[in-house]
Amino acid sequence: MFSPAPDADRKQAVLKQVVIAGQDALGADVVTEMLERGAYEPIVLGGPTSDRCPALPRRPAELSDDELADLLADADALIITSGQDVTRECVSPARANYERFVLPTQRLVRAARMKQVRRIVVFSALEVQLTYRWRDLPLAQSPYVRARMLQEEIAVLEGEDACTVSVIRLPKVFGGYPSPECAEQIRRVQATALGDLIPVASGGTAVATARQVAQATIGAMEFGIHGARYAVVGENFTYRQIAQTMA
């Protein structure tokens, strides 16, 4: 269901202007990779970026539907790298994740469809891949995973018969531009240290570098097949290796 089609069925899309919607550091890494290749004109909505790339300080959530549609009018592709912050109090975890990932993705893809944006790439999480693979585990009960699963389906269905929407599922990502979330994780790891010792769980997880994510994003944008989900994994790290990297 989620396997890419054979190479013979893939065709590279000729793209120029790319709008990157996201307030996380991964959007900046994608911009850097695009600028190094020199074949794109990226525009960032509400996120850190390079001095060589136009950036709009307002996030998608701060734009009206008409303003968002106008920004996408000349775009060849749209990359949705993150959700939006949920600041309302007394929101259940299920509702908070729904408002963070599902609703903004639906709005962006719908606006892109109206303006005939040809290619859309949506960032999701590797946890969705694991949920489908290990159905005997209660992973789908997580509000975060449920929202991510719905985000993927909504994006694909909104683009049906109009856009090529593909999804890349991301693991833990290292490198690239620092983000407040990453800094907070490092602070927590350091705070739990007992002298020179850092307590960690057994086992491990998949990881990738920021550049690998950027390269996979451009690959999905150029060659992605509608409805395809691509898992991005560089290698597997133990939690001990991750803690040592962040310490």
Side-chain angles (χ1 to χ4, degrees):
M1 179 177 179
F2 303 125
S3 299
D7 290 342
D9 294 336
R10 301 185 191 180
K11 295 182 179 180
Q12 182 176 9
V14 179
L15 307 168
K16 188 69 173 177
Q17 188 179 107
V18 181
V19 174
I20 301 172
Q23 58 200 61
D24 62 353
L26 287 177
D29 296 308
V30 174
V31 168
T32 299
E33 184 70 20
M34 287 185 173
L35 293 175
E36 287 180 359
R37 299 191 183 195
Y40 308 96
E41 296 175 358
I43 300 173
V44 176
L45 300 182
T49 184
S50 164
D51 293 337
R52 295 183 292 159
C53 173
L56 300 177
R58 297 172 65 190
R59 299 173 178 177
E62 299 169 336
L63 300 172
S64 68
D65 290 343
D66 290 340
E67 289 174 324
L68 186 58
D70 289 342
L71 286 172
L72 293 170
D74 298 322
D76 296 307
L78 168 67
I79 299 172
I80 304 173
T81 67
S82 69
Q84 65 186 36
D85 292 335
V86 177
T87 57
R88 296 192 299 118
E89 296 181 358
C90 301
V91 179
S92 69
R95 183 68 195 184
N97 280 283
Y98 180 74
E99 292 184 6
R100 181 182 180 188
F101 297 111
V102 180
L103 293 182
T105 297
Q106 182 179 35
R107 180 171 179 254
L108 283 164
V109 177
R110 185 172 293 176
R113 177 191 176 102
M114 290 176 56
K115 292 301 180 179
Q116 299 180 331
V117 176
R118 293 183 292 152
R119 296 272 175 160
I120 301 174
V121 178
V122 179
F123 281 19
S124 183
L126 192 64
E127 286 87 344
V128 177
Q129 185 90 2
L130 302 179
T131 300
Y132 284 114
R133 176 168 296 182
W134 295 324
R135 296 178 182 269
D136 56 324
L137 298 179
L139 300 176
Q141 296 179 13
S142 162
Y144 172 77
V145 174
R146 287 168 54 200
R148 286 297 207 175
M149 295 170 71
L150 184 56
Q151 175 196 23
E152 292 185 6
E153 292 300 321
I154 287 290
V156 172
L157 291 173
E158 284 287 349
E160 199 73 36
D161 297 328
C163 316
T164 298
V165 181
S166 56
V167 175
I168 61 173
R169 294 170 172 166
L170 304 182
K172 304 294 183 185
V173 180
F174 289 100
Y177 289 82
S179 66
E181 293 80 7
C182 180
E184 175 62 18
Q185 289 179 350
I186 293 174
R187 187 196 66 77
R188 290 179 180 177
V189 168
Q190 294 172 338
T192 59
L194 304 174
D196 294 330
L197 299 178
I198 299 175
V200 296
S202 60
T205 188
V207 299
T209 67
R211 177 148 196 183
Q212 288 170 334
V213 171
Q215 292 170 340
T217 301
I218 295 175
M221 181 183 70
E222 292 181 341
F223 297 98
I225 298 166
H226 181 69
R229 278 77 157 175
Y230 304 103
V232 180
V233 176
E235 58 183 306
N236 291 316
F237 269 22
T238 65
Y239 289 119
R240 179 178 180 180
Q241 288 176 297
I242 293 175
Q244 289 173 334
T245 301
M246 299 174 65

